[in-house]
Amino acid sequence: MAQSAMLTLTLMCSLAGQHLLSVGYELTYDPADPGQVRVTISLPTEARVLVMPRAIPMGYDDVHYDRFVHDVEASSADGTSLPVTRESAGPRWELGDGGAAARRVRYTVDVDTMEREILNAADTAKARPGYVGILGYSIFAYAEGLQGRPVELTVSAPNDWPVFLTLAPRAPPTTGIATATAADFYALADSQVAMGPDLQVLQLEAAVPLFVAQYAEQASEASILGAQAVSALNALTAYFGSVPFPHY
């Protein structure tokens, strides 16, 4: 009986430790290769399938973001390169050939082509000479079976580029590298990344902290947009009597 209880406790502790292991995502952008966003996924355990979602959070559209993914590479725990095979059905890639499985995956997303082919501006990432705006679900894939794990995100931009993450909006934009955490892949996919010298970020006081991140190709006053947003948020809060999110 005592041995059985000890075995159960050991198993529970082992599972709890596994649950805390995070998946690492690194997003890299280099203006020398414009319109191309690179993603590296570091996995806490082995995985055999990479999946690129086609569903947009809170929406009903089916968008094939996987068609903009190319140069998928995978490697094992010791760094050995593994074969990668695109499956014939669905937005999936098989990692490895039945032997060692992947512990790291790298791929590139062609944002330029994405923006040309997706006509709804709200459904596509964007890249400009001085600005890049990333919708998480348009860029990030996940290793099948690990999408419920916590996520550690690192964004690497040019040294003089400010980076703003909606996962950590209260932190002022940093230059070059920014980090944040997410509860799981779904929270990561529902987030946004904005960067570049043409990015404007304002933090405004409203019923809860309100952040305005803007890129404008023509003259535009972020402060005017921000004042309108504060007025709208305060009116909404007064009407319903509560605010469902800690910040906007």
Side-chain angles (χ1 to χ4, degrees):
M1 181 71 126
Q3 283 185 330
S4 176
M6 183 62 70
L7 180 60
T8 300
L9 179 60
T10 302
L11 179 59
M12 290 173 63
C13 291
S14 175
L15 291 175
Q18 278 190 344
H19 182 69
L20 295 176
L21 294 176
S22 300
V23 178
Y25 281 79
E26 182 177 6
L27 185 156
T28 305
Y29 187 75
D30 184 354
D33 193 9
Q36 305 299 306
V37 174
R38 290 176 175 79
V39 177
T40 301
I41 308 176
S42 299
L43 305 170
T45 60
E46 292 185 335
R48 297 191 178 278
V49 176
L50 181 72
V51 182
M52 187 70 184
R54 291 177 174 177
I56 295 175
M58 301 302 293
Y60 299 97
D61 292 335
D62 179 38
V63 182
H64 293 203
Y65 292 110
D66 48 289
R67 70 181 186 267
F68 310 115
V69 175
H70 59 92
D71 296 339
V72 181
E73 302 174 355
S75 57
S76 62
D78 64 3
T80 301
S81 180
L82 301 174
V84 176
T85 306
R86 175 70 190 260
E87 295 187 7
S88 59
R92 300 161 59 90
W93 291 259
E94 183 178 348
L95 310 174
D97 55 4
R103 288 292 298 274
R104 177 165 293 190
V105 182
R106 296 185 181 92
Y107 59 89
T108 300
V109 180
D110 186 344
V111 172
D112 275 351
T113 301
M114 180 191 299
E115 191 173 6
R116 285 197 303 270
E117 295 187 4
I118 296 178
L119 303 183
N120 186 345
D123 291 345
T124 178
K126 297 170 179 62
R128 301 289 186 273
Y131 170 79
V132 174
I134 301 296
L135 304 173
Y137 51 81
S138 72
I139 297 293
F140 295 120
Y142 64 83
E144 189 172 59
L146 298 180
Q147 59 267 42
R149 296 290 185 96
V151 169
E152 296 180 2
L153 172 65
T154 300
V155 176
S156 299
N159 290 334
D160 58 344
W161 277 37
V163 181
F164 177 74
L165 307 179
T166 62
L167 285 172
R170 295 171 188 262
T174 58
T175 55
I177 294 179
T179 60
T181 60
D184 51 30
F185 170 79
Y186 305 104
L188 174 69
D190 204 23
S191 71
Q192 298 182 37
V193 176
M195 66 179 92
D198 293 338
L199 171 68
Q200 299 179 59
V201 178
L202 298 179
Q203 180 176 347
L204 304 170
E205 293 301 322
V208 294
L210 176 67
F211 300 86
V212 177
Q214 173 182 274
Y215 165 76
E217 296 182 348
Q218 297 180 345
S220 177
E221 290 291 339
S223 59
I224 295 176
L225 296 175
Q228 294 174 339
V230 167
S231 176
L233 181 56
N234 286 342
L236 191 68
T237 304
Y239 180 82
F240 286 103
S242 64
V243 182
F245 299 107
H247 56 257
Y248 284 84

